[in-house]
Amino acid sequence: MNKKTLTNFETLTIGLMLFALFLGAGNLIFPPYLGQLAGEQLLPAIIGFLLTGVGLPLLGILAIAKAGGDLQSIAGRVHPVFGIVFTMIVYLAIGPFFGIPRTATVAFEIGTAPFLSAEMASSFWSLFLFTIIFFVITVLFALNPTKLVDRIGKILTPILIVVIGFLAVKSFLTPMGPIGAPVGNYDTEAFFESFLQGYLTMDAIAALVFGIVIIQSIRAKGVEDKNTILKTTAYAGFIAAAGLSLVYLSLSYIGATSVEAIGMQENGGEVIALASRVLYGEIGGIILAAAITFACLTTSIGLVSATSQFFNKIFPQLPYVVYVFIFAGFSTVIANVGLTQLIAISLPVLLAIYPLAIVIVILSFFDHSFYQKSYVYVIPLVLTGIVSVFDALKSSGFEFNAITQIFSYLPFYEQGIGWLVPAIIGTLAGIIIARTTHKR
């Protein structure tokens, strides 16, 4: 009996869908700012950023496919209860509590507010009406997840690529100016600085959420063989990674060549907004607004769909459609809190769970070498969690001077990844125990 496989065009469509799901507003905003800061050190900076901003999400997608399309099945290797609780926290954090509301808020502040009067832009009702429309569109696309590939891959993604392409092509043909000098740590540590910034994009967590969307899309086309699903997901992942890399290279180049024309800016949103007007005049602002809006919309659709599918699986008493409306409605309310407050509230949670997610994903690729012993997951996760939870509490305003002084001796702690060495030591200790105690 022949195994069902997808055509090259179908695989390409799924890859473009994954690319669009990853390409949220933050991904469009950060690279231009990185370009301004890195300047002549752009090459090592963009390499560092691509490793964590593209490499880790790709690993996350592959890990989910290897496990059968479910984060819970990976996290459950630690303990079944941990698998459920951790997965719920990840979905809620990247979903209705932070990720989904942020897509609407960013889309409004960058894609709509600049075209309103100052009074209308600051009005509660403007944001409220925008979020209502935004999430109505999200619901319409997310209600039928089997059509998600066709709708995003064939409609929204090409539009998104075109609007970004207008900015990128113009910046290469007629650069705004010469590449500027590196700023601050980018002068001597461009690779490491951008490596950390790519880690802070948190796309690795998004990959764990989007994985189920990709798997369901492949299965909806009649593919059931696990190896075929893994192979197709890998191809789609590399397509998405290539697309993200091109976007990051283009936008970082825009930033690097923009300093002479627009000066140094405080964030990437200002960089890309001003650069788009230099490159295309007022039409540039419209192009930017379209790019941001479509990027946020595709991410919102993917997050609502993935989160609803997960909770429908855990609590099947409610149908998928009901979860779509619940999460879209809840996100509408949270989005109206405002972007600044939303980030302030949610960032500590993300700082706590992101390192744990990275450790779980990496361990899942070679757990056969330690016979899938749960304690090999537990030891590095406990050590990682101690540091990451402390970092989360510190970012919330809690002061623990004695603990801070102790942790300051950890390598890379000042750079925000003090959990890395404890995680490595814990992993090695667990593997040694597993391999010396395993009965042959």
Side-chain angles (χ1 to χ4, degrees), residues 125-363:
W125 292 107
S126 296
L127 176 59
F128 178 73
L129 291 174
F130 178 86
T131 54
I132 292 293
I133 297 172
F134 185 91
F135 285 113
V136 165
I137 297 174
T138 296
V139 167
L140 291 175
F141 277 91
L143 278 177
N144 191 343
T146 61
K147 297 295 184 181
L148 196 61
V149 172
D150 293 333
R151 291 173 176 173
I152 293 181
K154 294 180 180 178
I155 301 174
L156 296 182
T157 304
I159 296 175
L160 181 60
I161 292 174
V162 168
V163 294
I164 295 175
F166 273 116
L167 291 176
V169 171
K170 186 70 160 57
S171 69
F172 281 106
L173 293 178
T174 57
M176 290 175 282
I179 295 178
V183 176
N185 290 337
Y186 280 89
D187 188 19
T188 56
E189 300 179 7
F191 174 85
F192 200 65
E193 283 290 314
S194 57
F195 183 92
L196 296 175
Q197 293 301 320
Y199 149 67
L200 291 175
T201 62
M202 308 208 179
D203 275 348
I205 292 181
L208 302 178
V209 174
F210 292 149
I212 191 172
V213 178
I214 300 302
I215 300 301
Q216 292 291 348
S217 298
I218 295 173
R219 287 176 175 163
K221 294 182 178 295
V223 179
E224 295 295 338
D225 179 69
K226 185 176 180 179
N227 289 331
T228 303
I229 292 175
L230 177 59
K231 184 178 180 180
T232 304
T233 303
Y235 286 146
F238 281 110
I239 291 170
L244 286 172
S245 299
L246 288 174
V247 169
Y248 293 156
L249 287 168
S250 300
L251 294 180
S252 62
Y253 179 78
I254 290 174
T257 57
S258 68
V259 177
E260 183 177 280
I262 65 175
M264 291 296 301
Q265 301 299 316
E266 294 184 356
N267 59 68
E270 294 177 355
V271 174
I272 194 66
L274 293 174
S276 65
R277 283 166 173 77
V278 171
L279 292 169
Y280 279 105
E282 286 303 314
I283 192 66
I286 298 175
I287 292 174
L288 175 67
I292 293 294
T293 301
F294 281 116
C296 291
L297 186 59
T298 53
T299 303
S300 175
I301 295 167
L303 288 173
V304 169
S305 178
T307 306
S308 299
Q309 288 185 48
F310 170 73
F311 278 92
N312 176 243
K313 176 184 175 182
I314 300 299
F315 305 107
Q317 295 86 349
L318 293 178
Y320 169 83
V321 172
V322 173
Y323 282 113
V324 169
F325 280 99
I326 289 175
F327 290 131
F330 184 83
S331 298
T332 302
V333 175
I334 298 299
N336 281 273
V337 171
L339 182 60
T340 302
Q341 293 84 350
L342 187 60
I343 292 175
I345 294 171
S346 305
L347 186 57
V349 177
L350 295 174
L351 287 175
I353 66 176
Y354 195 81
L356 298 175
I358 293 176
V359 172
I360 291 173
V361 166
I362 293 177
L363 287 177

